[in-house]
Amino acid sequence: YIAAVYEHESILSPNPTALVDRQSALELMGKNLDIYEQQVVAAARQGAQIIVFPEDGIHGFNFTRSSIYPYLDFVLHSHSVKWNPCREPYLFNDTEVLQRLSCMALKNKIFLVANLGTKQPCEHTDPHCPSDGRYQFNTNVAFSDDGVLVATYRKHNLYFEYAFDTPPEPDYTLFDTPFAGKFGMFTCFDILFFEPAVNLIRQYKLKQVVYPTAWMNQLPLLSAVEFQQAFATAFNINILAANIHHPTLGMTGSGIYTPVKSFIYHNMGSYGGKLIVAEIPVTTDYETNSEKSPGRLSEKGNKQLPPIFYAEMMYDNFTFVPVWEEKGELQVCANTLCCYLNFQRAVSTDEFYALGVFDGLHTVHGTYYVQACALVKCGGLSFSTCGQEVTDATALIDFQLWGNMSTPYIFPLLLTSGVTLDFADHMGWKNNHYFISKNRTSSGLLTAALYGRWYEKD
């Protein structure tokens, strides 16, 4: 099928905490919706059957609970009512944004997924009801190609979004399409947690996911395109991921991903939006490559072992060993996790790499348990530069990386120079170890990592 995602540079309110009336809010959102409309037309012309827009693309961000209120549409969250906002605008008040989105889908005969702020009045008898008598949700909506609202999803894992409420229960949201079957839907930070993202994919055996996000890139392990691809690979699914484009805030990185191929956009250098259109297969049943078991480390007699050092990476205290030689075998351990690396530099450069391990609770910008084995290029030549954000590299390295991970949820990361993606030759489980291997990356290696999420220990 042909899919489209749009990385949108949203027109933002100059003062998001100011209180404005509904009319002014609609005017600002209208400017963003005008751009959406142009992109829907462009995507439909290229044959796209579905288009996905990013999180916060219509209203922007940095609101307070009260300042966002005029920007919120009313959405009936029950699916007992089949509603076409374009054709039946009179059914509910405060649905102007939904009406425009619905009409775009209908006019262009395309499935459309967008993110907006929504409100839902609640009774004080409801124990979860906020004191102002309403819920405010960060919401994704999906419209069918005739403009019917077919799904709503309320973001569960909020990322410091004080304007919004967490829904009382996680939404497991999916919608059906004639061209690719069922699509699941979740938002941004949700991708790092078991509920509802992982549970949804597993329970409904999903093969397609739409994913609006407003993601701030964090190298070396959590750049948007890097993790989006790893997620598609780990779950053997297609992901249509639309990010916002604000390079000054570190936000870029969208794509259409299959487990074996990616069509991505990552651009920290220039402004303006970007439409990606790609044809991808509906089924994702690829053979997972596994090969001979990674070799155990041979005891090399009295050979001097490289020093262990510690450095902060992604706000976590990683234990590292330097990768100094042209080729060799290394290991590094922390807690219960041991990481092993067989490597050979194909091209000799003076760049400094290190092999790092972290097995613990990550506590900055969210709390979640990580098990990671990572081969990274350091920012300079000293130990203290390991873990820094690096975007360019020239070293080509053949490697096999493996670890005795305690969780089945491993996201294989492979990032190359210029924040581009590569695919491993082989990956998978062998003898209770997860491994990833690659002969000759397409360009200089930035990161090769196994990013494990041990959800039970969150």
Side-chain angles (χ1 to χ4, degrees):
Y1 66 100
I2 300 177
V5 302
Y6 183 62
E7 181 163 308
H8 176 51
E9 186 187 346
S10 42
I11 296 163
L12 301 170
S13 158
N15 184 1
T17 58
L19 302 180
V20 300
D21 59 8
R22 174 72 173 167
Q23 210 39 55
S24 316
L26 286 172
E27 268 164 42
L28 175 79
M29 294 192 288
K31 291 176 186 166
N32 287 306
L33 289 165
D34 290 346
I35 299 170
Y36 278 26
E37 188 139 25
Q38 295 160 4
Q39 299 306 322
V40 172
V41 169
R45 278 204 192 114
Q46 293 179 61
Q49 293 149 289
I50 184 168
I51 185 167
V52 182
F53 289 99
E55 181 185 24
D56 299 334
I58 297 172
H59 52 75
F61 27 73
N62 298 328
F63 292 94
T64 64
R65 184 172 177 87
S66 48
S67 74
I68 202 170
Y69 184 68
Y71 294 84
L72 305 178
D73 265 34
F74 169 75
V75 173
L76 195 64
H77 191 66
S78 100
H79 289 300
S80 47
V81 183
K82 193 176 174 206
W83 179 42
N84 187 320
C86 187
R87 293 203 162 123
E88 309 162 297
Y90 45 81
L91 280 190
F92 307 102
N93 291 332
D94 294 340
T95 56
E96 291 89 339
V97 175
L98 293 168
Q99 290 166 36
R100 278 205 69 180
L101 294 168
S102 164
C103 292
M104 289 177 208
L106 173 66
K107 271 191 207 129
N108 296 282
K109 295 280 166 268
I110 191 170
F111 275 73
L112 184 152
V113 174
N115 171 276
L116 72 162
T118 66
K119 60 185 176 186
Q120 227 174 294
C122 52
E123 297 297 328
H124 287 298
T125 50
D126 169 358
H128 300 284
C129 185
S131 56
D132 52 18
R134 62 180 186 260
Y135 287 113
Q136 300 187 170
F137 295 121
N138 173 335
T139 304
N140 296 342
V141 287
F143 295 94
S144 68
D145 53 10
D146 54 4
V148 172
L149 179 61
V150 289
T152 60
Y153 167 74
R154 301 167 300 182
K155 186 178 181 182
H156 193 72
N157 297 283
L158 296 173
Y159 189 79
F160 303 97
E161 297 167 75
Y162 304 114
F164 291 123
D165 299 304
T166 302
E169 300 285 303
D171 291 343
Y172 299 108
T173 299
L174 32 117
F175 59 92
D176 216 358
T177 65
F179 51 85
K182 288 184 172 40
F183 280 78
M185 177 156 72
F186 46 84
T187 312
C188 204
F189 203 38
D190 285 330
I191 205 167
L192 286 179
F193 296 90
F194 188 77
E195 292 291 3
V198 176
N199 212 354
L200 175 78
I201 291 166
R202 282 184 37 187
Q203 234 169 290
Y204 296 95
K205 300 184 173 51
L206 293 179
K207 289 295 179 189
Q208 328 291 332
V209 163
V210 290
Y211 177 62
T213 183
W215 189 277
M216 292 165 115
N217 289 306
Q218 198 189 2
L219 290 164
L221 305 180
L222 287 181
S223 150
V225 295
E226 173 186 31
F227 202 80
Q228 289 160 11
Q229 171 184 277
F231 196 88
T233 306
F235 287 104
N236 209 18
I237 57 173
N238 296 327
I239 296 187
L240 318 182
N243 198 0
I244 214 102
H245 190 80
H246 289 289
T248 48
L249 302 173
M251 294 168 134
T252 182
S254 306
I256 294 169
Y257 305 83
T258 80
V260 296
K261 196 169 186 200
S262 295
F263 305 86
I264 67 161
Y265 182 68
H266 172 99
N267 182 346
M268 289 290 280
S270 66
Y271 291 87
K274 174 73 175 175
L275 181 69
I276 306 168
V277 180
E279 185 168 9
I280 57 173
V282 171
T283 54
T284 57
D285 296 314
Y286 299 101
E287 285 305 305
T288 43
N289 294 317
S290 59
E291 53 164 359
K292 59 179 190 307
S293 167
R296 278 288 153 268
L297 296 183
S298 47
E299 293 301 325
K300 288 276 194 335
N302 335 345
K303 195 174 167 214
Q304 191 68 50
L305 284 172
I308 284 177
F309 66 95
Y310 302 91
E312 187 177 286
M313 181 157 86
M314 316 277 301
Y315 303 106
D316 294 322
N317 188 20
F318 272 72
T319 305
F320 285 101
V321 289
V323 180
W324 275 333
E325 313 283 326
E326 287 297 295
K327 64 178 202 178
E329 304 173 342
L330 292 170
Q331 84 172 61
V332 64
C333 303
N335 282 346
T336 61
L337 178 61
C338 285
C339 305
Y340 307 90
L341 175 73
N342 282 352
F343 69 96
Q344 178 158 10
R345 295 193 189 222
V347 175
S348 181
T349 69
D350 59 359
E351 295 163 297
F352 177 38
Y353 284 79
L355 173 66
V357 59
F358 178 75
D359 178 6
L361 195 63
H362 171 90
T363 55
V364 179
H365 302 155
T367 304
Y368 45 93
Y369 200 99
V370 174
Q371 280 198 323
C373 293
L375 169 62
V376 293
K377 182 189 164 184
C378 302
L381 297 178
S382 68
F383 288 174
S384 61
T385 65
C386 296
Q388 290 180 355
E389 302 215 359
V390 180
T391 54
D392 295 291
T394 55
L396 304 179
I397 302 177
D398 300 344
F399 67 87
Q400 188 170 46
L401 171 68
W402 69 101
N404 62 334
M405 322 297 272
S406 307
T407 167
Y409 298 103
I410 314 295
F411 300 97
L413 309 177
L414 189 47
L415 198 62
T416 47
S417 191
V419 192
T420 51
L421 298 177
D422 209 337
F423 282 87
D425 297 337
H426 300 283
M427 63 179 89
W429 288 97
K430 212 71 189 234
N431 306 334
N432 295 327
H433 289 65
Y434 192 95
F435 75 95
I436 175 175
S437 67
K438 181 74 179 172
N439 284 341
R440 202 62 54 96
T441 49
S442 49
S443 58
L445 180 69
L446 291 178
T447 307
L450 303 174
Y451 188 89
R453 276 287 286 111
W454 197 346
Y455 300 114
E456 292 84 351
K457 295 189 76 160
D458 286 1

